[in-house]
């Protein structure tokens, strides 16, 4: 049913073989696209993504000081408290959020 194919890597431009067994595996998994990168470039890309946290970089979240409305403990939150609504520390917030489900 499947036969070996020669594809061109979009990363390095080299030819690579997309074997019949690989094609069968792709079909079993429901993949509809052929691989665009050779095995070496795929491995290098996976290693790079693993090294930098999956390829996503995010700035550290800015935290703001606050006083918990329940216990009065100093805490930090990821938003600027406006004073219009109560702010809770982690210990006081978690039981409240579980009760709302």
């Amino acid at each position: 049913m499947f036969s070996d194919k020669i594809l061109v890597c979009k990363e390095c431009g080299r030819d690579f073989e997309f074997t019949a067994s690989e094609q069968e595996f792709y079909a079993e998994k429901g993949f509809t696209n052929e691989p665009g990168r050779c095995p070496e470039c795929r491995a290098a890309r996976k290693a790079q993504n693993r090294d930098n946290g999956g390829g996503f970089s995010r700035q550290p979240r800015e935290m703001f000081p606050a006083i918990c409305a329940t216990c009065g403990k100093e805490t930090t939150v990821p938003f600027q408290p406006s004073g219009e609504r109560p702010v809770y520390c982690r210990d006081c917030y978690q039981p409240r959020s579980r009760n709302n489900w």
Side-chain angles (χ1 to χ4, degrees):
M1 183 169 150
F2 296 104
S3 60
D4 293 353
K5 291 182 180 181
I6 300 297
L7 302 176
V8 178
C9 178
K10 68 180 182 182
E11 195 81 24
C12 67
R14 291 187 303 210
D15 291 348
F16 68 97
E17 190 173 31
F18 186 35
T19 65
S21 61
E22 289 174 321
Q23 292 173 51
E24 188 174 345
F25 173 79
Y26 272 54
E28 286 174 6
K29 294 294 183 181
F31 301 149
T32 56
N33 296 329
E34 295 177 340
R37 292 178 179 84
C38 66
E40 293 81 13
C41 288
R42 274 184 279 177
R45 187 173 172 96
K46 282 182 185 177
Q48 180 184 15
N49 286 342
R50 207 175 16 253
D51 291 344
N52 68 10
F56 300 103
S57 61
R58 178 189 284 184
Q59 295 291 334
R61 188 177 253 183
E62 184 177 0
M63 300 298 279
F64 299 90
I67 303 295
C68 177
T70 300
C71 70
K73 183 169 62 172
E74 289 185 20
T75 188
T76 57
V77 292
F79 57 89
Q80 179 72 51
S82 65
E84 294 178 16
R85 301 177 122 205
V87 175
Y88 303 101
C89 67
R90 179 178 299 267
D91 295 333
C92 294
Y93 178 77
Q94 285 180 337
R96 295 178 65 81
S97 65
R98 281 192 210 119
N99 293 335
N100 291 333
W101 294 94

